[in-house]
């Protein structure tokens, strides 16, 4: 506020007094004059409002009370309705009841197909409409219902409101009391379910199966305008029909007209759709209607007729506010313009039917006494004006003197309080208090200012102490704090950093700082600063080496945040911390060294496994080969059957050991992720078929059956390594055979799944318990069958799952005890077929020609050489060479028909011999079969790349060697 606009407290109080006294006085006088003119009207309006409120309450109470009375009367009608319903239900089911001869004589069939009663005889009327063909009419049902006639008569006579009691069936049969000639009133082809006194009680309109009330309708029986209480009759869930009790509008008018409405009002009954159901004579004048209590039946009524549209309140514009209030639920009394007069309408809903009972009262009858009191209140108004003028004159004089005293009481203590606050602002937190004031608020204000000064002093001391603690914490947890000023290109650091690194000052330039940064990090740090200064990032992060005064470097982590930017968004001030991460960097280096050592150890393990494979396979090949030779010699000879069986056991044991070595090597290579798979599209049909053929010998040996799905048409392809996928399927089939029940079933098939194809193998064995399922896929875990006669290593499923994951798929299973197990592998499906590896087709052994071809076997192990020589004795003349040098010497002299080549030789690599053969024009076309203890796919693939025609791993199957040799020699088996 400008200085010239400020005024002293005393002057401000005087101005406030003038403004607060004169203006209210003028307003009060104006109000008094107006009050003189309006007091009479205001008092009258107040009285009217009170009487109206009282009238509304009385009227509301009356309509609620009478509504309950009507509701009880309606309940009194509903009770016999339900009794009648139960009696009808029992009569319909009581097929043993036999009507008397009179009842049968009463019923006749008209020419137009109506089955009806022709005489009264004190019984009910019966009518079977021709809308139901005669052959479908249940006349026995109509006669059987005569047993409820006494009950219908009792209900009719016990309640004067009941005009008729009836039953309507689903097939347009009607039984009604009292009797009348139904053909004269009913259309002969009447379809009863189409009338509201039937369908309102069906399952669609009345799913609760309770008693419901119809709106006013024209009764087909000729009783005029009616309303009915109807209840469904069910047989199970089938609606047999409805029972009903009719009440005429004339009877209801008598009930409504007898209601006691205050202030000479009248009552009326309105349906759920706002149609007037019962209107007394007093209401006929207001609505300009005449209640329909009679109707002349000149012809049969062929459709249900409701009251005319004029009886609907929505057709009367003056009733729209009432309908809106009823819809919104705002109270239950509304003022309307009706019959040219303002009238109050109160309503209540009858729960049993949803109808509304309305009471209409003329407002003039309510406010007649109020107008008489208006003149008396006008005289009181004059006295009020005179009293107000006198009061305000005294009040103005009292306020004049009081304001002068108040200004003096306020000005002095407030000046003292302002002085205290100025002292506190200047740093004096304990100013002298002003003289005590009799005004409690001002004295409390002075004490509060004094207390605030004490609190500020304590807060300042706590702030300084917290600052010192924060400095100590920062000194102990970080290397230092720093702040960069981009304008002066300088950086300011805390004292600890200065002491440790021997800086000349706590504020140095960027150039001096960069001199201490390691030469290999300077450019990177400068580039990070430049990028950060022009970017919109708020956080800075950099790692670099910084030299101390003796030239020793320490790794620092600098992190900061922007404190201020210029209008162009460039960072002007940045603050942050330096943290020494030298030890962390040393740990990282140690981790890198440890990683390299671990990789070296992994490579040493791989070399060890490869060497162990060779050392194990070479003797196993000899054992396996000689055992096969013995078995071949004993084959077909009864005198050597025992030796043949022993040899076969040796072959089986050696194959088991070979399988164990293969599984261990596969598991090791998979765990180290050295497994290199050749993923390409594989047709699953031929693959599954070949696996099924390979497993046939084991199935036949164990008397099991194989159930295999036919090959898919068109072919289905998965992305996989064909050899490894065949290995997985054969492993699963082998498990299904080994762990199956005697004479069980092995199943194999496929399923098409979203983006994948599932290959599954199932057995009918004993299944797996929950404990066994939890131990699956653990290496060397045989689930309690370690001591059984079933062969196995416990790592086959582990290999299968690892291979599935390497091929981009997954493996799972389901199993139940005593039912069996089902293992599956999901692999990605492909749309286009691709090539996949296939084994060479077997060929039959050829007869030994008279002149045997010459075969050179390069093998350093005498036993293995002996096995191959004996295995091919009748097919070829096999000559041996135990080293690379000997092999090259022999090849220099002769040209063998086939070369059997081992890769691991004492004086070199067998691949050198292969290279010599393929580079020699004389030997280039000679077939080469690699027979090696090496199982590394890379080594065998390299042998094929250099020219090997085929590769086999030790220990070898002599039958397979013979077939392969015959094929390469160009002979037939």
């Amino acid at each position: 506020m400008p200085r010239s606009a400020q005024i002293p407290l005393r002057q401000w109080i005087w101005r406030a007094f003038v403004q607060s006294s004169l203006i209210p006085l003028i307003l009060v006088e104006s109000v008094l004059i107006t009050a003189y003119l309006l007091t009479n009207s205001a008092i009258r309006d107040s009285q009217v409002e009170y009487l109206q409120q009282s009238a509304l309450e009385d009227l509301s109470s009356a309509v609620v009370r009478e509504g309950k009375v009507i509701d009880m009367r309606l309940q009194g009608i509903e009770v016999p309705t339900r009794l009648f319903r139960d009696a009808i239900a029992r009569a319909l089911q009581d097929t043993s009841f036999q009507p008397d001869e009179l009842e049968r004589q009463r019923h006749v069939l008209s020419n137009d197909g109506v089955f009806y009663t022709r005489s009264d005889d004190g019984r009910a009327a019966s009518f079977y409409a021709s809308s139901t063909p005669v052959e479908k009419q249940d006349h026995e049902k109509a006669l059987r219902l005569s047993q409820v006639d006494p009950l219908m008569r009792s209900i009719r006579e016990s309640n004067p409101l009941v005009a008729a009691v009836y039953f309507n069936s689903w097939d347009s049969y009607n039984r009604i009391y009292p009797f009348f000639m139904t053909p004269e009133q009913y259309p002969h082809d009447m379809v009863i379910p189409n009338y509201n006194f039937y369908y309102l009680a069906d399952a669609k309109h009345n799913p609760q199966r309770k008693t419901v009330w119809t709106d006013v309708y024209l009764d087909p029986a000729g009783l005029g305008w009616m309303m009915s209480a109807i209840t469904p009759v069910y047989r199970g869930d089938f609606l047999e029909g409805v029972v009903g009790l009719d009440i005429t509008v004339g009877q209801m008018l008598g009930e409504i007209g007898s209601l006691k409405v205050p202030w000479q009002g009248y009552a009326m009954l309105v349906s759920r759709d706002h149609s007037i159901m019962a209107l007394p004579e007093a209401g006929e004048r207001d609505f300009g209607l005449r209640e329909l209590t009679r109707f002349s039946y000149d012809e049969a009524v062929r459709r249900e007729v409701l009251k005319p549209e004029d009886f609907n309140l929505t057709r009367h514009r003056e009733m729209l506010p009432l309908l809106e209030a009823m819809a919104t639920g705002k109270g239950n009394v509304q003022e309307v313009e009706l019959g040219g007069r303002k009238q109050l309408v109160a309503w209540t809903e009858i729960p049993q039917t949803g109808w509304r009972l309305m009471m209409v009262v003329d407002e003039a009858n309510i406010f007649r006494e109020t107008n008489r009191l208006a003149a008396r209140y006008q005289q009181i108004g004059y006295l009020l004006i005179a009293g107000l003028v006198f009061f305000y004159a005294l009040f103005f004089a009292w306020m004049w003197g009081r304001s002068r005293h108040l200004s003096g009481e306020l000005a002095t203590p407030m000046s003292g309080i302002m002085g205290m606050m100025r002292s506190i602002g200047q740093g004096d937190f304990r100013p002298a208090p002003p003289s005590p004031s009799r005004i409690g608020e001002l004295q409390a204000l002075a004490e509060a200012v004094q207390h605030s000064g004490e609190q500020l002093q304590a807060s300042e001391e706590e702030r300084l102490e917290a600052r010192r603690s924060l400095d100590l914490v920062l000194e102990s947890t970080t290397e230092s704090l720093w702040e960069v000023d981009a304008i002066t290109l300088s950086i300011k650091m805390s004292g600890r950093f200065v002491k440790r690194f021997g800086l000349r000052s706590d504020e140095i330039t960027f150039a001096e700082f960069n001199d201490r940064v390691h030469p290999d990090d300077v450019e990177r740090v400068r580039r990070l600063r430049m990028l950060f200064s022009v970017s919109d990032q708020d956080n800075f992060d950099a790692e670099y080496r910084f030299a101390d005064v003796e030239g020793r470097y320490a790794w620092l982590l600098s992190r900061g945040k922007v404190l201020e930017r210029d209008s162009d968004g460039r960072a002007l001030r940045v603050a942050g911390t330096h943290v020494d991460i030298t030890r962390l960097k040393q740990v990282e280096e140690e981790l890198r060294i440890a990683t390299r050592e671990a990789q070296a150890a992994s490579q040493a393990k791989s070399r060890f496994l490869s060497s162990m494979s060779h050392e194990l396979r070479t003797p196993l090949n000899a054992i396996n080969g000689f055992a096969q030779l013995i078995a071949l010699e004993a084959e077909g000879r009864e005198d050597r059957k025992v030796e043949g069986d022993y040899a076969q056991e040796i072959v089986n044991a050696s194959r088991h050991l070979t399988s164990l070595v293969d599984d261990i090597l596969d598991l090791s290579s998979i765990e180290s992720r050295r497994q290199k798979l050749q993923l390409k599209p594989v047709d699953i049909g031929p693959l599954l078929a070949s696996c099924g053929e390979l497993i046939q010998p084991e199935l036949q040996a164990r008397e099991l059956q194989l159930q295999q799905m036919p090959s898919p048409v068109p072919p289905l392809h998965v992305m996989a390594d064909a050899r490894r996928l065949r290995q997985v399927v054969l492993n699963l089939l082998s498990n299904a055979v080994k762990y199956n029940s005697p004479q069980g079933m092995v199943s194999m098939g496929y399923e098409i799944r979203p983006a994948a194809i599932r290959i599954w193998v199932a057995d009918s064995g004993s299944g797996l318990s929950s404990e066994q399922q939890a131990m699956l896929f653990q290496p060397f875990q045989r689930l309690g069958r370690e001591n059984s006669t079933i062969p196995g290593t416990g790592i086959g499923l582990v290999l299968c799952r690892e291979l599935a994951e390497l091929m981009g798929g997954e493996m799972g299973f389901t199993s139940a005890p005593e039912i069996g197990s089902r293992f599956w592998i999901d692999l990605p499906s492909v749309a286009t077929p691709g090539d996949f590896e296939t084994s060479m087709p077997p060929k039959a052994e050829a007869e030994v020609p008279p002149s045997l071809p010459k075969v050179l076997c390069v093998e350093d192990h005498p036993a293995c050489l002996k096995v191959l020589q004996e295995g091919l004795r009748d097919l070829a003349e096999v000559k041996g060479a135990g080293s690379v040098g000997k092999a090259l010497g022999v090849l220099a002299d002769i040209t063998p028909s086939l070369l059997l080549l081992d890769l691991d030789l004492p004086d070199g690599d067998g691949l050198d011999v292969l290279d010599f053969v393929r580079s020699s024009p004389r030997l280039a076309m000679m077939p080469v079969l690699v027979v090696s203890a090496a199982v590394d796919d890379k080594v065998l693939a390299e042998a094929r790349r250099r020219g090997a025609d085929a590769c086999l791993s030790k220990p070898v199957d002599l039958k397979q060697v013979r077939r392969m040799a015959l094929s390469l020699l160009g002979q037939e088996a």
Side-chain angles (χ1 to χ4, degrees):
M1 179 181 291
R3 186 70 179 176
S4 58
Q6 296 179 357
I7 58 176
L9 176 63
R10 186 181 298 274
Q11 185 177 354
W12 181 86
I13 293 177
W14 279 110
R15 289 186 180 182
F17 166 73
V18 173
Q19 294 173 358
S20 61
S21 297
L22 291 178
I23 295 176
L25 183 60
I26 295 173
L27 291 176
V28 169
E29 291 298 332
S30 300
V31 169
L32 287 175
I33 295 173
T34 305
Y36 174 77
L37 301 174
L38 300 178
T39 295
N40 183 43
S41 177
I43 295 176
R44 176 184 175 276
D45 291 342
S46 298
Q47 185 67 16
V48 168
E49 181 179 359
Y50 170 76
L51 292 177
Q52 185 179 20
Q53 184 66 28
S54 177
L56 294 178
E57 293 176 358
D58 294 345
L59 191 59
S60 176
S61 300
V63 73
V64 171
R65 181 180 63 253
E66 298 299 336
K68 291 181 179 179
V69 173
I70 293 178
D71 184 58
M72 293 177 63
R73 297 297 301 273
L74 294 178
Q75 291 184 31
I77 294 175
E78 290 183 5
V79 172
T81 304
R82 290 191 291 269
L83 295 175
F84 183 41
R85 173 199 62 192
D86 297 338
I88 288 292
R90 289 192 297 270
L92 290 174
Q93 297 177 5
D94 186 10
T95 56
S96 62
F97 175 79
Q98 295 296 328
D100 56 18
E101 188 61 30
L102 175 62
E103 184 65 22
R104 294 185 180 275
Q105 293 177 358
R106 293 175 66 230
H107 284 78
V108 295
L109 184 67
S110 68
N111 295 331
D112 52 6
V114 175
F115 186 66
Y116 68 98
T117 51
R118 57 185 177 180
S119 61
D120 186 350
D121 300 314
R123 304 188 181 189
S126 179
F127 181 83
Y128 226 132
S130 62
S131 57
T132 301
V134 175
E135 61 273 11
K136 294 184 178 181
Q137 293 179 1
D138 190 353
H139 293 173
E140 290 300 323
K141 175 176 71 175
L143 296 173
R144 192 162 60 248
L145 289 175
S146 64
Q147 59 183 305
V148 300
D149 287 359
L151 177 62
M152 298 172 70
R153 182 167 55 254
S154 298
I155 294 173
R156 168 69 176 82
E157 294 173 355
S158 63
N159 195 327
L161 285 179
V162 178
V165 183
Y166 59 86
F167 166 70
N168 292 321
S169 71
W170 62 275
D171 53 353
S172 297
Y173 170 73
N174 169 262
R175 192 171 192 91
I176 186 169
Y177 182 86
F179 176 87
F180 60 90
M181 288 301 296
T182 51
E184 298 176 1
Q185 299 293 340
Y186 290 164
H188 70 88
D189 57 352
M190 179 173 62
V191 181
I192 291 179
N194 291 341
Y195 286 81
N196 70 332
F197 50 74
Y198 184 94
Y199 64 73
L200 288 178
D202 63 15
K204 176 181 178 182
H205 297 83
N206 184 22
Q208 297 85 7
R209 304 184 182 183
K210 62 181 183 179
T211 301
V212 296
W213 285 83
T214 68
D215 293 332
V216 176
Y217 65 93
L218 191 59
D219 180 43
L223 297 180
W225 294 99
M226 307 290 297
M227 60 184 76
S228 297
I230 55 178
T231 304
V233 180
Y234 278 90
R235 175 169 49 86
D237 290 332
F238 179 72
L239 180 62
E240 287 282 1
V242 298
V243 300
L245 273 66
D246 283 344
I247 300 175
T248 64
V249 171
Q251 291 170 320
M252 185 58 66
L253 281 175
E255 292 287 327
I256 299 300
S258 63
L259 295 180
K260 296 181 180 180
V261 181
W263 297 291
Q264 296 82 44
Y266 60 89
M268 55 188 290
L269 194 63
V270 178
S271 67
R272 287 184 296 271
D273 61 353
H274 309 305
S275 293
I276 300 175
M277 301 174 64
L279 184 67
E281 293 182 2
E284 293 179 358
R285 294 190 298 271
D286 290 338
F287 286 92
L289 299 173
R290 183 170 182 179
E291 178 61 277
L292 302 177
T293 57
R294 294 183 178 85
F295 188 82
S296 175
Y297 290 86
D298 296 331
E299 60 180 14
V301 180
R302 291 188 169 273
R303 60 184 181 89
E304 65 172 297
V305 180
L306 303 178
K307 273 196 173 183
E309 289 293 329
D310 291 343
F311 280 80
N312 196 296
L313 296 181
T314 58
R315 302 297 298 270
H316 298 268
R317 182 181 303 176
E318 63 274 12
M319 300 300 289
L320 294 181
L322 173 64
L323 297 179
E324 181 179 356
M326 292 169 61
T328 57
K330 297 179 179 179
N332 67 334
V333 180
Q334 180 70 27
E335 180 183 293
V336 298
E337 187 78 21
L338 189 61
R341 307 183 309 279
K342 287 185 178 182
Q343 304 200 41
L344 292 178
V345 179
W347 69 89
T348 185
E349 183 174 318
I350 300 174
Q352 292 295 323
T353 61
W355 301 339
R356 289 184 173 89
L357 176 66
M358 293 185 179
M359 290 187 174
V360 184
V361 179
D362 194 338
E363 284 190 2
N365 294 334
I366 299 175
F367 306 130
R368 182 175 294 110
E369 290 297 324
T370 305
N371 295 329
R372 185 177 61 83
L373 297 174
R376 183 173 301 176
Y377 290 144
Q378 188 173 13
Q379 297 175 358
I380 299 174
Y382 292 115
L383 299 176
L384 289 176
I385 293 175
L388 288 174
V389 170
F390 178 73
F391 168 77
Y392 273 102
L394 293 178
F395 178 75
F396 178 78
W398 179 78
M399 283 294 296
W400 183 273
R402 188 63 181 169
S403 62
R404 295 186 62 181
H405 177 72
L406 180 61
S407 62
E409 291 288 338
L410 292 176
T412 301
M414 290 181 66
S415 298
I417 293 172
M418 288 186 292
M420 292 177 64
M421 298 181 69
R422 279 194 296 268
S423 299
I424 292 175
Q426 295 172 359
D428 181 8
F429 297 113
R430 295 183 178 275
S435 301
S437 173
R438 292 189 303 169
I439 301 176
E441 287 78 1
L442 291 178
Q443 184 63 31
L445 180 60
E447 294 174 355
V449 171
Q450 188 175 14
H451 182 68
S452 298
E454 297 173 354
Q455 291 291 329
L456 286 173
Q457 185 176 13
S459 298
E460 180 66 15
E461 293 174 355
E462 291 178 0
R463 185 186 68 82
L464 294 176
E465 182 63 26
R467 176 64 179 272
R468 287 191 295 269
S469 300
L470 178 61
D471 291 341
L472 290 175
V473 171
L474 292 176
E475 287 293 330
S476 62
T477 57
T478 62
E479 193 64 37
S480 73
L481 300 175
W482 55 264
E483 182 176 341
V484 169
D485 190 337
I487 298 176
T488 61
L489 296 179
S490 63
I491 178 170
K492 185 177 182 180
M493 289 160 292
S494 63
R496 183 180 177 187
F497 190 87
V498 175
K499 293 177 182 178
R500 178 181 174 185
F501 291 95
L503 300 179
R504 63 173 182 81
S505 173
D506 62 350
E507 185 172 358
I508 60 176
T509 62
F510 277 178
E512 293 174 318
F513 187 87
N514 292 340
D515 288 341
R516 293 290 189 96
V517 178
H518 195 282
D520 295 340
D521 301 335
V522 171
E523 290 302 323
R524 178 169 54 84
V525 173
R526 285 176 176 170
R527 185 168 59 256
L528 288 175
R529 286 177 185 159
M530 291 298 297
L531 292 175
F532 179 73
S533 64
V534 298
S535 68
D536 57 353
Q537 296 182 359
D538 289 335
N539 297 312
F540 175 79
D541 199 329
E543 294 181 5
Y544 52 88
R545 286 162 286 184
F546 195 81
D548 60 14
V549 69
E550 297 179 359
R552 293 174 302 195
Y553 286 98
W555 276 97
L556 296 181
L557 171 61
S558 292
R559 287 179 174 171
K561 188 176 183 64
V562 176
L563 300 180
E564 182 181 355
R565 294 184 182 273
D566 60 11
S567 58
D568 297 330
R570 297 174 65 88
L572 295 180
R573 290 175 57 241
V574 183
T577 61
H578 282 133
V579 179
D580 189 344
I581 59 171
T582 304
R583 179 55 184 164
L584 179 60
K585 289 294 183 179
Q586 293 174 352
V587 172
E588 289 180 355
E589 183 62 26
E590 293 172 358
L591 288 175
R592 281 193 292 271
I593 295 174
T595 301
R596 287 196 296 269
E597 292 176 351
Q599 292 173 350
S602 177
Q603 294 173 359
K605 183 190 75 171
S606 300
R607 290 193 297 271
F608 167 74
L609 290 174
S610 177
S611 175
M612 182 188 73
S613 170
H614 181 273
E615 294 301 325
L616 289 174
R617 285 176 180 275
T618 299
L620 283 174
N621 184 54
I623 296 171
N624 190 16
F626 283 115
Q628 290 183 66
L629 289 174
I630 297 173
L632 289 173
E633 292 180 0
E635 187 175 353
R637 297 176 60 180
E638 290 296 330
D639 59 335
R640 300 193 63 181
K641 184 176 184 301
V642 176
E643 289 87 341
D645 293 340
Y646 291 164
Q648 188 60 44
E649 290 297 328
I650 296 173
V651 171
N652 292 339
S654 64
R655 287 178 178 172
H656 177 68
L657 289 174
T658 303
S659 175
L660 176 59
V661 172
D662 290 341
D663 287 347
I664 292 175
L665 292 177
D666 278 347
L667 181 60
S668 175
S669 62
I670 289 174
E671 288 176 349
S672 61
R673 288 297 187 258
R674 293 186 293 105
Q675 191 68 257
K676 301 297 183 182
L677 302 181
Q678 300 294 326
L679 298 181
K680 52 187 176 182
V682 177
D683 189 348
I684 66 171
L687 185 140
L688 295 180
S690 65
C691 291
E693 293 177 1
L694 291 174
I695 204 68
Q696 282 297 333
E698 295 187 44
L699 293 169
Q700 294 172 3
R702 296 177 180 267
E703 299 182 354
L704 301 176
Q705 295 183 358
L706 175 64
Q707 187 178 37
Q708 184 175 354
M709 293 177 62
S711 298
V713 179
L716 297 176
H717 295 79
V718 296
M719 186 61 68
D721 184 295
R723 186 173 67 86
R724 291 302 187 181
L725 179 56
R726 183 180 288 104
Q727 178 182 352
V728 172
V729 176
L730 288 175
N731 198 328
L732 296 180
L733 286 171
S734 177
N735 285 349
V737 170
K738 289 189 294 184
Y739 301 110
N740 213 323
S741 58
Q743 299 180 347
M745 175 72 70
V746 176
S747 305
M748 177 173 60
Y750 56 87
E751 297 176 6
I752 300 177
R753 305 179 71 83
I757 294 177
R758 172 170 292 183
I759 299 173
W760 54 267
V761 174
D763 63 68
S764 59
S766 59
L768 300 174
S769 64
S770 58
E771 294 79 7
Q772 291 175 324
Q773 294 179 24
M775 294 187 293
L776 271 181
F777 303 112
Q778 297 181 16
F780 308 105
Q781 177 58 254
R782 299 199 60 204
L783 307 180
R785 296 183 175 92
E786 295 81 357
N787 300 320
S788 67
T789 60
I790 302 175
T793 62
I795 59 177
L797 287 179
V798 179
L799 284 172
C800 291
R801 186 173 67 173
E802 292 291 341
L803 287 172
E805 293 177 355
L806 288 176
M807 290 187 288
E810 62 176 323
M811 182 178 178
F813 72 97
T814 57
S815 182
E818 307 305 328
I819 295 178
S821 303
R822 177 178 175 134
F823 288 82
W824 51 261
I825 175 174
D826 286 351
L827 293 171
S829 61
V830 291
T832 58
D835 298 332
F836 58 89
E837 297 182 4
T838 57
S839 61
M840 299 184 64
K843 295 183 179 180
E845 290 189 31
E847 295 183 0
V848 179
S851 178
L852 297 177
K854 297 184 181 296
V855 175
L856 176 60
C857 180
V858 183
E859 172 62 62
D860 64 328
H861 198 281
C864 293
L865 175 61
K866 183 66 175 177
V867 168
L868 292 174
Q869 287 176 334
E870 293 297 324
L872 300 177
R873 179 176 56 187
D874 57 342
L875 302 180
E877 181 182 347
V878 182
K879 184 177 182 179
S883 63
V884 175
K886 291 180 180 180
L888 295 179
V890 173
L891 291 174
D893 298 332
I894 65 172
T895 303
S897 300
L898 175 63
L899 175 62
L900 302 178
L901 179 62
D902 188 8
L903 298 182
D904 193 1
L905 298 172
D907 59 341
D909 192 346
L911 293 177
D912 296 336
V913 179
L914 182 59
D915 292 339
F916 172 77
V917 170
R918 293 308 179 212
S919 62
S920 174
R922 177 173 57 85
L923 303 172
M925 302 305 295
M926 180 180 62
V928 178
L929 173 60
V930 173
V931 180
S932 175
V935 294
D936 194 336
D937 292 341
K938 291 183 178 180
V939 175
L940 299 181
E942 180 64 18
R944 294 188 185 94
R945 188 185 67 80
R946 295 193 184 187
D949 294 278
C951 298
L952 294 175
S953 298
K954 295 179 182 178
V956 296
D957 185 345
L958 288 180
K959 292 183 179 180
Q960 185 180 14
V961 173
R962 289 168 63 86
R963 289 195 301 269
M964 193 71 71
L966 287 171
S967 177
L968 295 176
L969 290 171
Q971 302 177 12
E972 295 183 357

